[in-house]
């Protein structure tokens, strides 16, 4: 159990999840060659950014708002900072593999990722982070994750204009909706601490049960997008694989209770992203 906690609370697991999602994009998009540097960069970058989000002003979080992940991070912060330093070092070694345009088009995602944690939006009473914008948090996460794991591999191997093509935008929407469906449960996990912190999220606004219904609805929208795409191509095996993922997604959301552990939420819903990535790769081989 201690090793499992270290894997999850150190954000190594989420970095692996995003790496698998990035890798799956090469099976989804025709005519782009696999480039190991891109998934490796996503792993190193996501490990660094997620831990930066976790560590930033962690000592200022009131004790009643601290979850298991915050307590673990406080106890192991020194080791994580060393890991972050190594990740940045190796990311710099990979940097020469990208041209200037690749780096420029990563800047918007980097700005949003940093602004998610550091306040930079002036309001009447205080400075807001992006996550402080009412109801916006899951949409921001879905947008950035999809951009990094789907658009990034495309414009590195071709050109930025390719991500504006209608076929690609359809794939972008489909993936963003899936990420949104698995992100809402994390707002449900944090519903009480977010409410105590004064954050207005989908879960605090709708309530736990209505947020669960929203997750059902968005999951259904994702499957409709998946089914529409593979029905057009008459790929019924891929359609069946998507149906399996959809059923598991609904059962996972149905199983949610307010007293579920943080480990449960992470293993179930980040695990579902790995399942989705595996299905994308499988359909690419059909």
């Amino acid at each position: 159990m201690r090793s499992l906690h270290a894997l999850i609370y150190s954000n190594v697991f989420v970095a692996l999840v995003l790496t698998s999602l990035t890798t799956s994009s090469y099976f989804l998009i025709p005519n782009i060659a696999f480039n190991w540097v891109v998934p490796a960069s996503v792993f190193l970058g996501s490990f660094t950014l997620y831990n930066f989000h976790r560590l930033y002003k962690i000592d200022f979080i009131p004790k009643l708002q601290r979850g298991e992940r915050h307590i673990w991070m406080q106890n192991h912060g020194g080791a994580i900072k060393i890991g972050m330093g190594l990740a940045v070092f190796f990311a710099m070694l990979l940097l020469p593999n990208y041209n200037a345009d690749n780096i420029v088009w990563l800047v918007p995602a980097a700005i949003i990722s940093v602004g998610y944690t550091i306040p930079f939006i002036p309001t009447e009473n205080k400075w807001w982070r992006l996550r402080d914008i009412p109801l916006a948090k899951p949409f921001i996460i879905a947008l950035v994750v999809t951009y990094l794991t789907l658009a990034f591999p495309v414009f590195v191997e071709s050109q930025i204009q390719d991500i504006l093509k209608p076929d690609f935008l359809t794939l972008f929407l489909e993936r963003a909706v899936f990420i949104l469906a698995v992100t809402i449960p994390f707002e449900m996990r944090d519903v009480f601490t977010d409410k105590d912190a004064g954050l207005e999220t989908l879960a605090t606004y709708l309530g736990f049960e209505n947020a669960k219904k929203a997750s059902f609805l968005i999951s259904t929208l994702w499957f409709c997008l998946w089914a529409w795409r593979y029905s057009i191509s008459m790929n019924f095996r891929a359609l069946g694989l998507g149906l399996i993922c959809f059923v598991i997604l609904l059962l996972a959301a149905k199983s949610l209770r307010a007293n579920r552990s943080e480990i449960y939420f992470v293993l179930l819903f980040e695990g579902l992203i790995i399942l989705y990535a595996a299905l994308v790769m499988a359909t690419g081989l059909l």
Side-chain angles (χ1 to χ4, degrees), residues 189-210:
R189 176 196 66 184
D190 298 332
V191 62
F192 298 117
T193 55
D194 282 346
K195 186 178 292 186
D196 189 51
L199 296 176
E200 189 173 349
T201 68
L202 283 174
T204 61
Y205 180 75
L206 297 174
F208 192 92
E209 290 303 320
N210 284 331

Side-chain angles (χ1 to χ4, degrees), residues 138-264:
F139 299 98
I140 293 170
I141 292 172
L143 178 65
V144 172
V145 167
T146 306
Y147 185 80
L148 287 175
T149 64
L150 186 61
F152 182 34
V154 171
F155 67 69
V156 165
E157 293 304 309
S158 53
Q159 51 190 355
I160 193 65
Q161 290 84 351
D162 287 347
I163 72 171
L164 301 176
K165 294 179 179 179
D167 288 347
F168 177 83
L169 292 176
T170 299
L171 296 174
F172 190 97
L173 176 62
E174 181 189 302
R175 176 165 295 186
V177 170
F178 181 86
I179 298 300
L180 183 60
V182 296
T183 300
I184 290 175
F186 289 98
E187 293 211 330
M188 296 164 64
R189 176 196 66 184
D190 298 332
V191 62
F192 298 117
T193 55
D194 282 346
K195 186 178 292 186
D196 189 51
L199 296 176
E200 189 173 349
T201 68
L202 283 174
T204 61
Y205 180 75
L206 297 174
F208 192 92
E209 290 303 320
N210 284 331
K212 183 186 293 189
K213 293 175 183 177
S215 182
F216 286 154
L217 181 62
I218 294 169
S219 298
T220 303
L221 175 59
W222 165 74
F223 179 67
C224 288
L225 292 169
W226 175 286
W228 174 72
R229 182 160 60 89
Y230 285 111
S231 295
I232 290 175
S233 63
M234 302 292 285
N235 190 338
F236 296 112
R237 289 183 180 179
L239 187 60
L241 290 174
L243 179 60
I244 292 171
C245 185
F246 174 57
V247 171
I248 295 174
L249 188 55
L250 291 184
L251 291 175
K254 187 176 185 297
S255 74
L256 292 180
R257 304 287 184 276
N259 59 352
R260 294 289 193 187
S261 69
E262 292 185 25
I263 293 288
Y264 182 88

Side-chain angles (χ1 to χ4, degrees), residues 68-103:
E68 293 178 7
R69 61 194 185 279
H70 301 112
I71 296 171
W72 188 94
M73 187 61 71
Q74 284 183 309
N75 293 334
H76 300 85
I80 293 300
K81 289 174 183 177
I82 293 173
M84 291 169 65
L86 290 172
V88 171
F89 172 75
F90 286 116
M92 292 299 102
L93 293 181
L94 296 179
L95 202 59
N97 291 280
Y98 301 109
N99 60 41
D101 287 343
N102 298 156
I103 296 170

